Amino acid sequence: MDPVQALRRTAFLLEREQASSFRVEAFRKAASVLLALPADEFDTRLAAGTLTDLKGIGKSSAELVTQAAAGRTPDRLRKLEDAAGPLVEGGEALRAQLKGDLHTHTDASDGGSPLAEMAFTAVELGHDYIAVTDHSEGLKVANGLDRGRREDQLAQVEALAAPLRPFRLLSGIEVDIGRDGVLDCPPDLLERLDVVVASVHSELRMPGDAMTRRMLAAIRSGRMDVLGHCTGRMVKGGHGRVGEKGRPPSDFDAEQVFAACVEFDVAVEINARPERLDPPRALLRQAVAAGCTFTLSTDAHAPGQLDWQPYGCVRAEECGVPAERVVTTWPVERVLEWTSRRRRAALG
């Protein structure tokens, strides 16, 4: 078994089962070290038992690499594979129709892996496309991208197009909705992106009438495609942080917000992160009744989390979300035709 693939697979399965990032990073870092190591040096160190002399390869990683290089499935990986079953029961019919994911993060903002690792993992999972939606500049706590870093990422997306084909890597952003409803990104840059997810990340406990005005202003701007994790709730500590309490949902007039989403053709995100599961079931049913379209996305911050869509599929089926109204069941050409309305509107 290829040692690098064994390390990547181990990290993927740990991420999939919601292991702490500290446990996972060691294996991904070791894989990066091995990729940069000349083959003859690897063979020499393997024979001499000196892999742990390399910065970034610890005892556990070295043991896994040694077992893989000997042609066997490493013990730790075998145990993870044996335990890896369906994440949840139900939702299989919708999951089978999903073609992509429109909300993902990389290490450019607050994710844990490079863009290429996220994209190639999506290919391995059978996705037809994903959008990379790293945070906007104003969200400093999440290392949001300024214009220069966003331009660099656009160049990376373009460079990966050929190696990934026929898979499509879409350019995107998770743009912060400001207190006044203004999106935290210059309009000219938003118009260049394939997918714009807009979310509230600050002052989540503001009065309901003010939050409603804030969300309506963003939706009515005509510059967003998806309303991300609309209540901002956390059912447990965020991004896999152990021991943190959850967060209650924001207060807003859902009837007005969902009506605006229908009017301005903005999709409501079904966020499949297990600590979010947003919107709650009652609001999700209300959005269905209002006639909303939806995206079903993972909000993945690591490659293994790209496999979390089943958490959202179960809730979507429980709440009667029609598959044909889920954008992420559409082929990429239809998705891009849908999002291109922003650019058409900008041109008048």
Side-chain angles (χ1 to χ4, degrees):
M1 185 174 195
D2 179 74
V4 171
Q5 290 301 316
L7 289 165
R8 289 184 66 241
R9 180 65 178 171
T10 299
F12 172 89
L13 291 173
L14 286 169
E15 290 162 345
R16 183 178 183 269
E17 68 174 24
Q18 303 179 49
S20 70
S21 59
F22 177 79
R23 290 179 60 199
V24 176
E25 286 168 1
F27 295 103
R28 290 211 179 276
K29 186 173 183 180
S32 298
V33 172
L34 288 191
L35 280 172
L37 197 67
D40 56 348
E41 183 179 350
F42 171 76
D43 293 338
T44 299
R45 289 188 176 279
L46 184 66
T50 60
L51 286 171
T52 54
D53 290 347
L54 295 169
K55 185 178 181 180
I57 298 186
K59 182 179 178 181
S60 296
S61 297
E63 181 180 10
L64 188 148
V65 167
T66 300
Q67 292 174 354
R72 53 178 284 207
T73 301
D75 296 338
R76 182 163 192 164
L77 177 55
R78 178 176 47 78
K79 291 178 181 178
L80 288 169
E81 296 282 14
D82 289 345
L87 293 170
V88 286
E89 292 185 8
E92 292 86 359
L94 179 56
R95 176 66 186 89
Q97 297 179 68
L98 293 177
K99 293 180 170 60
D101 192 328
L102 296 182
H103 188 168
T104 71
H105 295 274
T106 76
D107 60 0
S109 62
D110 61 344
S113 289
L115 176 59
E117 179 71 18
M118 295 291 289
F120 282 107
T121 299
V123 173
E124 292 166 355
L125 287 171
H127 288 16
D128 293 343
Y129 56 86
I130 62 168
V132 53
T133 54
D134 280 315
H135 290 285
S136 59
E137 181 175 5
L139 200 63
K140 303 299 184 184
V141 70
N143 193 29
L145 278 64
D146 60 18
R147 178 181 281 272
R149 293 170 61 216
R150 187 74 58 185
E151 296 277 4
D152 289 344
Q153 188 172 80
L154 284 169
Q156 292 177 44
V157 170
E158 185 176 354
L160 284 167
L164 290 167
R165 199 172 288 128
F167 175 90
R168 293 289 296 276
L169 179 60
L170 306 180
S171 62
I173 189 173
E174 184 179 13
V175 61
D176 197 36
I177 299 174
R179 197 180 196 284
D180 54 1
V182 174
L183 301 185
D184 175 39
C185 185
D188 68 297
L189 190 50
L190 289 176
E191 290 160 17
R192 294 171 54 193
L193 301 172
D194 294 321
V195 179
V196 175
V197 178
S199 309
V200 173
H201 290 102
S202 61
E203 299 187 64
L204 293 166
R205 307 310 303 149
M206 70 190 309
D209 57 347
M211 181 64 80
T212 301
R213 290 194 298 271
R214 177 182 186 178
M215 296 171 76
L216 290 176
I219 294 165
R220 291 168 177 167
S221 72
R223 301 191 182 279
M224 58 185 280
D225 303 308
V226 181
L227 177 61
H229 47 71
C230 64
T231 77
R233 76 167 185 174
M234 290 284 188
V235 296
K236 60 181 179 179
H239 301 318
R241 292 189 287 267
V242 177
E244 290 191 12
K245 295 181 179 180
R247 181 172 63 213
S250 296
D251 181 24
F252 59 91
D253 187 325
E255 182 177 354
Q256 290 190 58
V257 168
F258 293 153
C261 285
V262 173
E263 180 181 355
F264 290 87
D265 199 15
V266 169
V268 175
E269 179 184 73
I270 302 171
N271 189 294
R273 287 194 70 84
E275 70 265 29
R276 282 194 182 276
L277 298 177
D278 199 0
R281 289 181 180 87
L283 283 186
L284 185 50
R285 292 188 180 99
Q286 187 173 349
V288 172
C292 293
T293 55
F294 302 89
T295 61
L296 199 156
S297 296
T298 58
D299 194 357
H301 285 63
Q305 296 173 10
L306 288 167
D307 207 22
W308 281 355
Q309 284 183 322
Y311 291 119
C313 292
V314 170
R315 297 175 70 82
E317 290 195 349
E318 288 174 349
C319 296
V321 177
E324 64 271 16
R325 280 160 57 185
V326 178
V327 172
T328 36
T329 67
W330 300 352
V332 68
E333 293 81 8
R334 184 179 175 189
V335 173
L336 291 172
E337 172 60 24
W338 171 65
T339 64
S340 69
R341 77 202 186 290
R342 282 185 291 106
R343 288 176 287 281
R344 293 197 299 267
L347 293 172

